[in-house]
Amino acid sequence: QVQLVESGGGLVQAGGSLRLSCAASGRAFSSYAMGWFRQTPGKEREFVAAISSRDGSTSYSDSVKNRFTISRDNAKNTVYLQLNTLKPEDTAVYYCAAGYYGSLSAFPSMYKTWGQGTQVTVSS
């Protein structure tokens, strides 16, 4: 059973940067696609980015493309999300998730394990 712990959230001014980390415990981290999602109160969880298990292919939502970068270090069982050029509308709780399979997906139902979330707040 994989367990995920996010870190790196915080308060930042618009235009600033943050780096989120998600540390995974358990076996076979390298076998899972990993994703980042975000959620604000009253809204559904929104796909942000995903990375496949082996070839490292990535996918991003249109709202974060060219600003955010997802990466993984299988030796450290960690996935990262670099957030650049942050905007107030990026304010949310960010969750990492481990997929059922190695192929990346934008659908929350394709992820079996979720972290507790880390708050990102962007001030204008």
Side-chain angles (χ1 to χ4, degrees):
Q1 181 75 14
V2 175
Q3 293 184 324
L4 305 173
V5 178
E6 300 100 333
S7 61
L11 173 64
V12 63
Q13 289 187 334
S17 298
L18 283 173
R19 188 193 197 201
L20 307 184
S21 299
C22 174
S25 63
R27 299 181 181 179
F29 171 80
S30 61
S31 300
Y32 309 131
M34 297 296 296
W36 285 95
F37 293 76
R38 65 187 182 186
Q39 191 169 23
T40 55
K43 294 189 176 180
E44 292 188 355
R45 198 160 291 188
E46 174 192 16
F47 170 71
V48 175
I51 186 166
S52 66
S53 63
R54 288 183 174 82
D55 65 5
S57 57
T58 58
S59 177
Y60 299 91
S61 68
D62 288 343
S63 62
V64 308
K65 198 173 295 182
N66 300 319
R67 298 189 300 122
F68 292 7
T69 303
I70 188 171
S71 61
R72 66 190 297 163
D73 186 337
N74 288 338
K76 295 183 177 179
N77 280 14
T78 302
V79 63
Y80 305 97
L81 186 68
Q82 179 69 40
L83 292 67
N84 295 331
T85 320
L86 281 160
K87 305 175 181 179
E89 52 264 41
D90 294 319
T91 295
V93 177
Y94 283 72
Y95 298 90
C96 71
Y100 285 101
Y101 310 109
S103 300
L104 54 83
S105 173
F107 297 101
S109 61
M110 297 302 290
Y111 293 84
K112 61 180 177 178
T113 303
W114 295 79
Q116 83 288 351
T118 186
Q119 176 71 47
V120 171
T121 302
V122 184
S123 63
S124 57

